[in-house]
Amino acid sequence: MIIFDVSKRGTHHPNANFKKLCRRLRSLGKVQVNKESISSDRLKDCDLLIISSPQTRFVDEELHVLKDYINNGGSLAVFSSEGAAQSPESNLNELLADFGITVERTTLVRAVYHKYLHPKHALIQNGIVQPEIGDEKFTPLNMKSRSRQQRQIRNQDDGMEPSMSLSFVYPNGTTLTVQSPAYTLLSSGSTSYPVDCPIAAAWESTSIGGEQGRVLVVGSADVFADDWFENEENSQLCDVLFRFLLRQNVSFDPSMGRSDFEGKECVPDISSLSNLVKPCLQENEPLPQDYKSMLCEDLFGVHNDRVPDVIKLYKQLNVPYEPLTLVKPHFECPHPPLRMATHQPRMIDPPPPALELFDLDECFSGVRVRLAQLTNRTDDKNLDHYIQEAGCILGLDIHVGDETMDGELSKQLLHNVGKKLFQFKLQNEPDYQEIGF
């Protein structure tokens, strides 16, 4: 019987995220869900207990029950999650400490983009540590395993390294710390960060006689979730690991696996340090209220106490003592010296000749325009002036004497105008020359 424990509010169970996994395990036997506290009576007929991402603590009694269950030949599968999703109330590492496995609070990411957009969805193509996983990947659940000789012949035909015999997606997972007697099954490979760290480990009891208890710890619960179960070769990896837990002719040899994983180095928490504001200058002690106490008068002084000693030094050095003279300073000029500027003289042009002012409008305007302008600026009082100016515009020649009055001049102009009109009308008459005034 296979039991999924949800008493610790796990995020993955047959009703959520593990539906495809539960459907696959039902071909092996009965599958149940435990919602109560873990007890020995509940685990009496259990062949495999699955715990996924517990969010609450295991009490001491439950820890003792689980350890006794494993020592008596039971199998335990533990699926964790990335460091940010791990609950601070969970004491999962307290359960796994006796088996030499520790779940880290980190997150595995892929350093190079390939096929999956999100960096936490790491595609691992060279992470197989145990060659048995690649040999058994084509054997489904509840089927007799092939002989080792047949598996070796197939692997030789494939010509593939054991670490690249199976590719899988490792989404939203973390890394593990594995110590003997536990051993590593899967690693993060060379394209993920942290590089080449354990992500799945197993432990087997060393008791003599009876069935040996087995523990499987995987750092990602989403690796067998519904969204990722059929991606790459995750389903084949699931078959191999659960056949190992259910003792279906699958066993791992720790001596055949790797143990030369890179050691971890402690580095500063850059994200936390960046939030701490630090001054760029060293902090000093507060200044005293009396600033005079900070002055040091022993370092300098102004007096003539050393003048006699200086004068004696002249005699000792046989240097003539002369009064000091002024030294003419020589300043370096960055610009050239100034010189007088010479310019050509400006010649004054003679003024233009004095010319009379003419009204060009009057000179070039027609007779009708000039008569209209004269009419506009003349009133009834200046009728004589109006007649005389109009006569000049019309070109009427009148001989004026010295004794001629203004009124008589106007009458003569009107007389000439009337005469010219009368002659103009009689031009077509045959006898107009006979008529005279």
Side-chain angles (χ1 to χ4, degrees):
M1 182 173 61
I2 302 173
I3 297 178
F4 286 86
D5 180 63
V6 296
S7 61
K8 305 306 174 187
R9 294 185 299 173
T11 57
H12 295 64
H13 49 81
N15 295 329
N17 298 323
F18 272 172
K19 294 180 180 180
K20 293 183 180 180
L21 176 61
C22 180
R23 192 181 306 116
R24 202 177 192 92
L25 294 177
R26 280 174 182 167
S27 62
L28 303 176
K30 188 177 181 180
V31 178
Q32 293 185 357
V33 177
N34 177 46
K35 298 182 180 180
E36 300 177 357
S37 299
I38 300 176
S39 61
S40 56
D41 296 337
R42 187 67 175 135
L43 302 178
K44 184 177 181 181
D45 299 329
C46 179
D47 298 324
L48 173 61
L49 177 63
I50 301 175
I51 300 175
S52 177
S53 300
Q55 302 297 313
T56 57
R57 296 177 59 85
F58 293 94
V59 297
D60 295 339
E61 296 180 359
E62 292 177 331
L63 294 176
H64 290 300
V65 170
L66 290 173
K67 294 177 182 178
D68 293 340
Y69 165 73
I70 296 171
N71 293 329
N72 292 331
S75 297
L76 174 64
V78 178
F79 297 94
S80 182
S81 57
E82 59 177 327
Q86 297 179 14
S87 174
E89 299 180 359
S90 176
N91 59 344
L92 183 61
N93 286 331
E94 186 177 350
L95 170 63
L96 303 176
D98 295 340
F99 308 117
I101 302 175
T102 304
V103 178
E104 300 290 341
R105 289 188 175 273
T106 58
T107 301
L108 183 73
V109 296
R110 184 175 176 88
V112 181
Y113 164 74
H114 181 65
K115 195 172 183 179
Y116 297 98
L117 296 177
H118 202 289
K120 292 184 180 181
H121 303 161
L123 174 60
I124 302 176
Q125 297 175 322
N126 59 342
I128 303 301
V129 178
Q130 290 291 334
E132 189 76 14
I133 298 177
D135 298 340
E136 294 288 343
K137 68 176 183 178
F138 294 106
T139 305
L141 287 173
N142 200 13
M143 182 176 291
K144 184 178 180 181
S145 176
R146 296 173 297 163
S147 63
R148 181 176 296 274
Q149 184 178 2
Q150 294 176 351
R151 297 195 300 268
Q152 291 177 355
I153 292 174
R154 179 160 186 171
N155 292 337
Q156 291 177 1
D157 296 339
D158 295 341
M160 186 179 297
E161 296 183 4
S163 62
M164 303 178 64
S165 59
L166 187 143
S167 301
F168 59 94
V169 188
Y170 192 77
N172 307 321
T174 183
T175 58
L176 307 177
T177 300
V178 182
Q179 298 178 356
S180 182
Y183 51 90
T184 304
L185 301 180
L186 304 175
S187 71
S188 59
S190 59
T191 59
S192 302
Y193 184 82
V195 180
D196 206 15
C197 289
I199 58 176
W203 177 90
E204 295 184 60
S205 63
T206 58
S207 60
I208 301 175
E211 293 184 350
Q212 297 179 349
R214 295 183 176 182
V215 177
L216 172 68
V217 181
V218 181
S220 172
D222 289 336
V223 69
F224 298 141
D226 297 339
D227 295 338
W228 304 95
F229 190 78
E230 297 178 355
N231 288 24
E232 304 302 327
E233 296 177 318
N234 286 25
S235 60
Q236 298 178 9
L237 177 63
C238 174
D239 293 343
V240 176
L241 296 181
F242 279 95
R243 287 180 58 207
F244 164 73
L245 293 172
L246 297 173
R247 301 175 181 83
Q248 292 186 0
N249 298 326
V250 176
S251 61
F252 301 119
D253 187 1
S255 61
M256 297 181 63
R258 292 179 47 214
S259 59
D260 55 339
F261 295 101
E262 296 184 3
K264 297 182 179 180
E265 298 181 1
C266 295
V267 297
D269 190 354
I270 301 176
S271 61
S272 299
L273 292 177
S274 62
N275 296 326
L276 301 177
V277 180
K278 295 293 183 180
C280 59
L281 300 177
Q282 184 178 1
E283 296 182 359
N284 297 327
E285 297 180 358
L287 299 178
Q289 296 181 355
D290 186 10
Y291 68 92
K292 295 182 180 179
S293 61
M294 300 178 62
L295 301 178
C296 183
E297 299 179 355
D298 300 336
L299 297 179
F300 64 92
V302 180
H303 51 77
N304 297 328
D305 297 343
R306 298 296 180 183
V307 174
D309 297 338
V310 173
I311 295 176
K312 292 180 182 179
L313 188 61
Y314 278 92
K315 297 180 180 180
Q316 296 178 4
L317 298 176
N318 296 324
V319 176
Y321 175 72
E322 296 178 355
L324 298 178
T325 59
L326 296 176
V327 178
K328 186 178 180 179
H330 176 71
F331 300 101
E332 295 182 358
C333 298
H335 300 287
L338 300 177
R339 294 181 180 179
M340 293 296 295
T342 57
H343 302 280
Q344 295 182 358
R346 293 182 179 181
M347 305 301 294
I348 301 176
D349 297 333
L355 300 177
E356 296 181 1
L357 299 179
F358 294 93
D359 190 356
L360 297 181
D361 292 339
E362 294 182 357
C363 295
F364 296 102
S365 58
V367 176
R368 295 179 178 273
V369 175
R370 295 170 62 185
L371 289 175
Q373 294 177 355
L374 178 62
T375 304
N376 292 333
R377 64 172 179 264
T378 304
D379 53 3
D380 297 340
K381 296 180 180 181
N382 299 327
L383 184 59
D384 292 337
H385 176 74
Y386 174 76
I387 294 173
Q388 294 175 10
E389 291 294 331
C392 294
I393 293 173
L394 295 174
L396 298 177
D397 296 333
I398 299 175
H399 298 284
V400 180
D402 295 337
E403 298 178 357
T404 303
M405 303 289 293
D406 291 339
E408 296 179 356
L409 181 61
S410 300
K411 292 179 180 180
Q412 291 181 5
L413 288 173
L414 292 175
H415 175 75
N416 291 340
V417 170
K419 183 178 180 180
K420 288 183 178 297
L421 289 175
F422 183 79
Q423 292 177 357
F424 175 76
K425 292 182 178 181
L426 295 179
Q427 285 181 358
N428 295 329
E429 295 294 334
D431 298 331
Y432 74 94
Q433 295 180 357
E434 298 178 358
I435 302 174
F437 292 93

